[in-house]
Amino acid sequence: MSRLRTLISSALIVVGLTGAAHANDDLVLVFAGCAGRMSAEMEHAWLVNDARADTWQTQRQRFVSILQAIMPRDRARETLSHRVEAKLAHSAILTTAKFGTDPRRSRLAKKQARIQVQSCQAMLLDG
């Protein structure tokens, strides 16, 4: 009975550690996505001469700092790739919102961009 208890305890510990590692992987991707979105917002603000560019730059840097602190070094390439993909996707949404010719699509894109950014900002302590 003692061996069975030890085996079950060991299995639970391994499963628990694996779950924590998976949660950390998800967290890395969430912060990488937010860093990418903030980069897109910052560059879009520069493009359209929006006074909030400095605010976006500050928020972007906060996400980059958090990302650097939690990212495993062996996942740097994958994380950067995810960040760039999020930036490009968000940039496309912002382009549609600002320059789209279909008013309905522009309105939906603006709403989607706002929701995505607000979900990122909510993760910051002063968000």
Side-chain angles (χ1 to χ4, degrees):
M1 184 69 166
S2 175
R3 284 184 103 176
L4 181 58
R5 189 176 310 160
T6 303
L7 181 62
I8 292 172
S9 297
S10 298
L12 290 175
I13 289 171
V14 169
V15 168
L17 292 175
T18 304
H22 182 67
N24 187 45
D25 289 349
D26 291 344
L27 194 59
V28 167
L29 295 179
V30 166
F31 279 101
C34 286
R37 286 184 194 93
M38 295 302 159
S39 294
E41 288 284 350
M42 178 185 70
E43 290 177 6
H44 184 76
W46 288 340
L47 175 70
V48 298
N49 204 23
D50 186 337
R52 296 177 297 169
D54 290 339
T55 302
W56 293 120
Q57 186 172 14
T58 300
Q59 288 184 4
R60 176 193 154 278
Q61 186 53 49
R62 290 176 69 196
F63 280 106
V64 169
S65 296
I66 294 168
L67 183 59
Q68 288 174 343
I70 66 171
M71 179 187 63
R73 296 294 165 222
D74 63 335
R75 296 196 50 222
R77 185 176 300 230
E78 172 193 350
T79 303
L80 179 60
S81 175
H82 185 76
R83 183 176 158 190
V84 169
E85 288 173 9
K87 176 185 168 187
L88 292 174
H90 198 74
S91 180
I93 292 169
L94 292 172
T95 299
T96 299
K98 182 72 174 178
F99 304 112
T101 57
D102 180 351
R104 181 180 165 278
R105 287 188 70 201
S106 294
R107 195 173 49 255
L108 289 173
K110 186 175 183 178
K111 182 179 179 180
Q112 182 179 8
R114 185 177 61 248
I115 289 169
Q116 289 180 351
V117 165
Q118 286 174 343
S119 70
C120 288
Q121 290 171 328
M123 290 189 292
L124 299 174
L125 291 178
D126 64 353

